[in-house]
Amino acid sequence: MPRRQKSTLRAREKCQQTWGQIQGHQGAQITATQKKKVSFSSPLILGATIQKKSAGRSGSVLKKPQRALSTTTSVDVYHKKSYKGANSKIEKKQSFSQSLSSTVRSRTDPLTIKTKMLVQFLMEMCKMKKPIMKADMLKIVQKRHENHFPEILKKASFNMEVVFGVDLKKVDSTKDSYVLVSKMDLPNNGTVTRGRGFPKTGLLLNLLGVIFMKGNCATEEKIWEFLNKMRIYDGKKHFLFGEPRKLITQDLVKLKYLEYRQVPNSNPARYEFLWGPRAHAETSKMKVLEFWAKVNQTVPSAFHFWYEEALRDEKERVQAAAKFNDGSSAMGRKCSRVKASSSSHA
């Protein structure tokens, strides 16, 4: 498999793994409550390490020491991986055993538990569109863990950023109040529609990343393949993002963040996705790559091929902006001369 395709596969697997774990656990909770009010008592998961496969062995790449906020779902991720070579059965058992041990440890780690609780609180405040007070967060963390509050808050903020595409920002230093701000200008701070709900910005940034890494144009089949691995299915209402087909083929298209068009000369008709004009205006390939790099806990330059393309895109944007500013200045000088000439004739 070409190096470029391997990099794409690793990045996609990472995003899908993070989202799939988070949403799978939350989705199971909704089934258990039988459509009652959703409780945010279940844990969210930080990204796990990316795995790559070779012809006769498996190894890790872009591996970082940050521990996942694990649930039993993390066991499933390792359990479902395919292994090749003569020692595949042994490797599979070892991976399963190690993941299970990690899960048990993480469940009993006080800081991990407090991070989960803080994420749940942030999700609730995000849904209710209420201000976030440091005093309330400290109550969740409790006094005996107060010294670790910065670390806990950092991890919780990371979860919110990679899943919902929102940043936690302080708005009032005197009252120590915070708000969650969408990384893009989607209506209603990312929720798209009015009322309570969760931001769709993280989902949009993932879609823009898939489109970018597919050569700036991704078929509908590839988009749904990616979403399905994140446990988002066509025709099935999602507990965080609503009806996904309507969201990606109508709402985000109407808002001009995505372009959804028929593949030329396709019969029967097939469709593909591209970046819409508002996506080009509000973000860039580099920013989307930075988001994917953060999910993978690495740096944008790790995605060498796309990093080079993103750098070219940044250069073109700077040149276009400079050309536009020069044109605006020239137009302004011309208008001033015309106005001065009219005044002298008067």
Side-chain angles (χ1 to χ4, degrees):
M1 182 183 294
R3 182 178 178 181
R4 174 183 170 186
Q5 291 182 7
K6 287 183 179 179
S7 298
T8 307
L9 180 61
R10 290 196 296 269
R12 289 172 59 193
E13 284 179 348
K14 175 63 179 181
C15 291
Q16 290 160 351
Q17 187 181 78
T18 303
W19 280 60
Q21 290 172 334
I22 291 169
Q23 297 177 82
H25 195 80
Q26 291 280 7
Q29 182 184 31
I30 288 181
T31 302
T33 55
Q34 295 181 343
K35 300 184 179 180
K36 293 180 181 179
K37 181 180 178 181
V38 179
S39 169
F40 300 101
S41 60
S42 57
L44 297 185
I45 303 168
L46 290 175
T49 55
I50 308 171
Q51 301 291 325
K52 73 174 181 178
K53 302 169 190 172
S54 58
R57 62 186 178 183
S58 63
S60 62
V61 64
L62 301 177
K63 189 173 183 178
K64 295 291 178 179
Q66 188 172 9
R67 177 66 61 189
L69 299 184
S70 304
T71 66
T72 52
T73 318
S74 62
V75 178
D76 294 335
V77 173
Y78 285 91
H79 187 65
K80 291 176 182 177
K81 284 186 177 293
S82 60
Y83 291 81
K84 298 180 181 180
N87 298 322
S88 63
K89 291 184 179 180
I90 296 174
E91 291 174 1
K92 188 172 182 180
K93 288 180 180 179
Q94 288 175 342
S95 181
F96 181 88
S97 177
Q98 290 169 1
S99 181
L100 181 59
S101 176
S102 173
T103 298
V104 172
R105 287 197 305 270
S106 66
R107 280 180 169 179
T108 58
D109 174 35
L111 297 187
T112 298
I113 293 171
K114 292 302 176 184
T115 303
K116 295 172 185 177
M117 293 174 66
L118 188 55
V119 169
Q120 296 147 21
F121 172 74
L122 292 175
M123 287 180 67
E124 184 68 17
M125 294 298 100
C126 179
K127 183 181 180 183
M128 303 292 289
K129 296 182 170 59
K130 290 183 177 180
I132 301 163
M133 308 303 294
K134 182 178 180 180
D136 293 331
M137 292 191 286
L138 286 172
K139 288 178 183 177
I140 294 170
V141 172
Q142 296 181 340
K143 193 170 184 178
R144 62 176 174 170
H145 300 298
E146 191 172 327
N147 290 339
H148 296 283
F149 176 72
E151 177 188 353
I152 294 170
L153 181 61
K154 182 179 179 181
K155 289 182 178 180
S157 300
F158 174 81
N159 263 303
M160 297 300 293
E161 182 179 1
V162 300
V163 176
F164 298 110
V166 293
D167 296 313
L168 183 67
K169 294 187 177 182
K170 181 178 285 190
V171 292
D172 191 332
S173 57
T174 59
K175 295 181 180 180
D176 278 334
S177 63
Y178 298 77
V179 293
L180 290 163
V181 181
S182 173
K183 288 180 173 292
M184 297 179 70
D185 294 332
L186 274 75
N188 300 295
N189 197 29
T191 59
V192 178
T193 57
R194 292 182 180 180
R196 297 175 182 176
F198 296 105
K200 314 299 190 296
T201 312
L203 180 61
L204 175 59
L205 286 168
N206 271 284
L207 294 176
L208 293 176
V210 174
I211 294 169
F212 172 32
M213 292 187 173
K214 284 294 180 182
N216 302 307
C217 180
T219 64
E220 184 171 7
E221 292 85 354
K222 290 298 180 182
I223 291 293
W224 282 114
E225 179 183 318
F226 179 80
L227 292 176
N228 288 349
K229 291 179 180 179
M230 293 163 64
R231 303 186 184 182
I232 300 175
Y233 303 102
D234 188 7
K236 184 177 180 180
K237 188 174 182 179
H238 192 269
F239 67 101
L240 290 179
F241 305 114
E243 210 295 302
R245 172 166 287 277
K246 179 178 181 296
L247 177 64
I248 69 173
T249 65
Q250 295 181 39
D251 298 339
L252 293 176
V253 171
K254 186 177 180 180
L255 291 169
K256 299 188 183 301
Y257 285 104
L258 295 177
E259 182 180 345
Y260 180 63
R261 70 185 187 186
Q262 184 176 340
V263 176
N265 304 317
S266 60
N267 187 18
R270 294 172 56 245
Y271 293 85
E272 59 190 6
F273 287 89
L274 297 87
W275 284 30
R278 284 190 69 176
H280 284 288
E282 293 181 18
T283 191
S284 65
K285 293 178 180 179
M286 184 61 76
K287 289 180 180 178
V288 169
L289 199 61
E290 287 170 352
F291 178 81
W292 275 56
K294 179 162 286 191
V295 173
N296 283 277
Q297 299 173 41
T298 184
V299 292
S301 57
F303 304 99
H304 180 72
F305 179 86
W306 296 279
Y307 184 68
E308 293 296 324
E309 183 176 343
L311 285 176
R312 291 193 297 270
D313 180 65
E314 291 293 300
K315 184 177 180 180
E316 291 171 2
R317 284 171 174 267
V318 171
Q319 292 174 343
K323 187 176 181 180
F324 176 79
N325 291 334
D326 290 343
S328 299
S329 298
M331 181 64 71
R333 290 193 296 270
K334 183 177 180 180
C335 290
S336 297
R337 288 196 298 269
V338 171
K339 192 177 291 184
S341 176
S342 298
S343 299
S344 62
H345 287 322

